[in-house]
Amino acid sequence: MGLVLAGGAARGAYEVGVVQHLLEEVAKDLGRDIPLDVLSGTSVGAINVCGLAAFADDPRGRARRLVDQWQRLQVDDVVRPQARGLLTLGRSLFGGTVPKRGWGLLDPAGLERFVGRALPVHRIEEHLRSGLLHAVSVSTTHVASGRTVVFLARAAGGEMQTWSRDTTVVPRQVRLGLRHMLASASLPFLFPAIEIEGEYYADGGLRQNVPLSPARRLGADALVVVNPRSLDRATDRVEPHVPHPTPFLLLGKLLNAIFLERLDADLDRLERINAILDAGTRIHGEGFVDELNRELGRAPGREVRPVRTLLVRASRDLTKIAGDHVRSPRFAARASGIVGKLLLRLAEGDGSRDGDLLSFLLFDGDYAQELIELGRADARARHNELCQFFTDVFEGEREP
C-alpha cells in the first residue's frame, strides 16, 4: 500500500490533516491499522513522508507527531531573508564567485532546524530492516542535468521496477538522510540548492511534483495520493489586466507553475490500464495478467499490473486561506520585523495578486492548523469512500 504526497511548501500542512484522518479515523472504523509501507514524496511532501516513515512503529500516532511539529512553527524561524543572498546574486550577475553553499533569498537554517527536529531519520533504516516499511522515496531535481533524481531506501530484497525506458528519471538507492529531504524541498530562488556527494540538487517539484511513478515502481499496488492544490483555484482563472506586475506576483506565479503537474492525466492513464486488465481478467480468467506479461516479454520488475488509486485534494483555495489568515487581528498582533511586514504586504487587499507567494511562505503554526483542519475535513467528507477503498485492498490481499 502506497502513500504519495505532493509538493507545495507551507501548503504541505494540508497533507498532514488528510493523513491523520486516514491513520486514526479510517483505521478505527476498519478495526485495523492502515499498512502504508511504500511512501513517496516531493518537496514538502518528502519531509512529510519521511516523518511518517521515521515513526512507522506508531502507526496511528505518527500523523499526530507531525501535526505537533507543524503547529509549533514560527514564521520568523523559517522565513529569514539573508542579505548574503542578494549579495551573491549581485556577484553572480557581474562575474563574481558564488559561495559553495549555494544561493537563495532565504536563510535555510530555519528549515533545517524544522526538518531535523521533526525527522529522526536514522529510524527509517531501522523500520526498513524490521519490515515495518517496504520503501521510501524522495524526488529531487539534479541541477546540472535537469533530470529527476529519486533518492530511495528500500527493504533488503524488495523488488523495484526499472526506470530504464525513462532517461529523465534516475533512481539512486541511499541511506536517506537530512540532506536528501532538504534538497527535495529547496525551492528555487528561495532556498539554496543542496550539495550531495559533489552534485547539487533542488526542489523535486520542478519536474515531478506528484511522485506516482516512484511509488508504483517500488511495488505499491494501491495508492492514496494527497495534493494540496485545489481542483478549481480562483487564481488559475483568467484574471483582468494587472498593470505593472510586482516581483512578488511574478515569483508567486513562477512557483505555481513549478508545482503544476500532470496528475489528472497520470491518474486517468492508470485507470484506463486498470479497466483493460480487469476486462481481460473477466473474459480470460485469473491468469490473464500473467499471460499478458509473458506475451509482452516483460521481465520481472517491469510487469503490467493494476494499481488502484484514490486522490484527495484541497476543496478550498489555500491562497485565499493564507491571505485571510495574515489579515486577521491575531496574526497582525504578533507579526513583527521585516518578515511580518513582507507577509502583510503580500496579503494587502484581497490577496489575489501576491497571495500565491504568501501561501508558499507562510510557515506559521496557526495557518498550518487551518490547513490541517481542512485536510481532516476533506478526508472526513470522503470517509466512506476511503473505508471502501481499503476494504477492497484488504480483500484483494486475501485472494489466492
Side-chain angles (χ1 to χ4, degrees):
M1 169 61 65
L3 175 68
V4 176
L5 299 183
R11 301 173 178 182
Y14 172 85
E15 300 171 345
V16 178
V18 173
V19 175
Q20 185 180 23
H21 181 86
L22 185 69
L23 296 180
E24 295 178 6
E25 300 305 319
V26 173
K28 178 181 176 182
D29 278 6
L30 291 177
R32 60 173 292 180
D33 294 329
I34 305 297
L36 298 176
D37 58 356
V38 176
L39 304 172
S40 296
T42 293
S43 192
V44 73
I47 294 174
N48 285 334
V49 298
C50 288
L52 294 168
F55 297 109
D57 55 341
D58 184 14
R60 298 198 189 187
R62 50 183 166 166
R64 165 50 60 185
R65 293 174 183 266
L66 278 183
V67 167
D68 291 342
Q69 295 298 331
W70 276 94
Q71 290 174 332
R72 292 180 190 178
L73 282 174
Q74 299 289 331
V75 70
D76 289 337
D77 292 339
V78 179
V79 184
R80 288 185 174 183
Q82 56 176 352
R84 184 176 62 185
L86 294 174
L87 179 61
T88 302
L89 176 61
R91 286 176 177 173
S92 64
L93 289 174
F94 294 101
T97 59
V98 177
K100 188 175 181 180
R101 184 178 176 86
W103 177 83
L105 290 172
L106 302 179
D107 185 344
L111 181 62
E112 291 175 9
R113 281 193 298 273
F114 168 59
V115 175
R117 182 181 66 211
L119 303 179
V121 291
H122 63 279
R123 305 189 74 216
I124 296 176
E125 200 68 25
E126 296 173 10
H127 299 324
L128 288 166
R129 288 197 302 268
S130 70
L132 287 174
L133 294 172
H134 177 74
V136 183
S137 74
V138 300
S139 297
T140 67
T141 301
H142 182 240
V143 173
S145 67
R147 293 179 177 178
T148 295
V149 172
V150 180
F151 291 107
L152 59 94
R154 57 194 177 106
E159 294 183 357
M160 179 179 70
Q161 289 189 4
T162 67
W163 265 272
S164 59
R165 289 190 177 183
D166 189 350
T167 59
T168 66
V169 181
V170 180
R172 291 189 181 171
Q173 184 155 334
V174 297
R175 185 185 181 99
L176 283 174
L178 183 64
R179 297 188 71 79
H180 301 109
M181 273 72 83
L182 291 173
S184 185
S186 293
L187 282 166
F189 305 108
L190 297 180
F191 294 108
I194 300 296
E195 183 182 10
I196 300 174
E197 298 182 355
E199 300 287 339
Y200 282 94
Y201 299 87
D203 198 295
L206 289 170
R207 292 189 61 92
Q208 192 182 77
N209 190 47
V210 185
L212 291 176
S213 178
R216 180 174 59 83
R217 294 177 188 273
L218 287 166
D221 291 324
L223 297 174
V224 175
V225 184
V226 186
N227 188 356
R229 188 180 181 90
S230 62
L231 181 62
D232 183 22
R233 298 180 64 256
T235 49
D236 284 342
R237 301 168 189 158
V238 177
E239 298 179 1
H241 173 68
V242 178
H244 307 296
T246 69
F248 298 133
L249 173 66
L250 294 174
L251 183 53
K253 296 302 181 187
L254 173 62
L255 292 177
N256 259 332
I258 288 173
F259 287 112
L260 283 173
E261 76 290 308
R262 302 175 301 171
L263 177 60
D264 292 327
D266 290 343
L267 290 175
D268 183 61
R269 183 171 65 251
L270 282 177
E271 289 304 314
R272 290 200 305 272
I273 292 172
N274 289 340
I276 292 170
L277 297 179
D278 288 345
T281 299
R282 288 194 301 271
I283 295 170
H284 300 289
E286 292 298 327
F288 169 74
V289 175
D290 292 336
E291 292 179 11
L292 177 64
N293 280 303
R294 282 195 295 271
E295 181 65 26
L296 292 173
R298 292 295 182 112
R302 293 189 56 211
E303 300 96 337
V304 176
R305 71 184 195 284
V307 179
R308 311 301 174 189
T309 60
L310 190 150
L311 169 65
V312 181
R313 67 195 316 167
S315 60
R316 295 172 55 197
D317 182 2
L318 305 193
T319 294
K320 185 177 187 306
I321 294 176
D324 291 343
H325 176 77
V326 171
R327 290 190 297 272
S328 68
R330 182 176 179 180
F331 182 84
R334 56 192 176 85
S336 61
I338 187 172
V339 172
K341 291 179 181 178
L342 170 63
L343 296 178
L344 289 168
R345 162 66 185 83
L346 294 176
E348 284 180 356
D350 63 1
S352 61
R353 286 189 59 187
D354 300 331
D356 286 322
L357 179 59
L358 177 65
S359 68
F360 286 111
L361 291 180
L362 194 53
F363 287 94
D364 174 78
D366 286 350
Y367 172 63
Q369 180 59 38
E370 289 190 55
L371 300 194
I372 290 167
E373 290 294 344
L374 177 62
R376 289 192 192 115
D378 286 349
R380 191 181 306 118
R382 301 181 63 183
H383 180 82
N384 292 338
E385 185 182 358
L386 285 164
C387 288
Q388 187 61 55
F389 178 80
F390 286 105
T391 297
D392 293 343
V393 170
F394 298 150
E395 289 179 351
E397 291 174 349
R398 288 194 293 268
E399 293 177 358

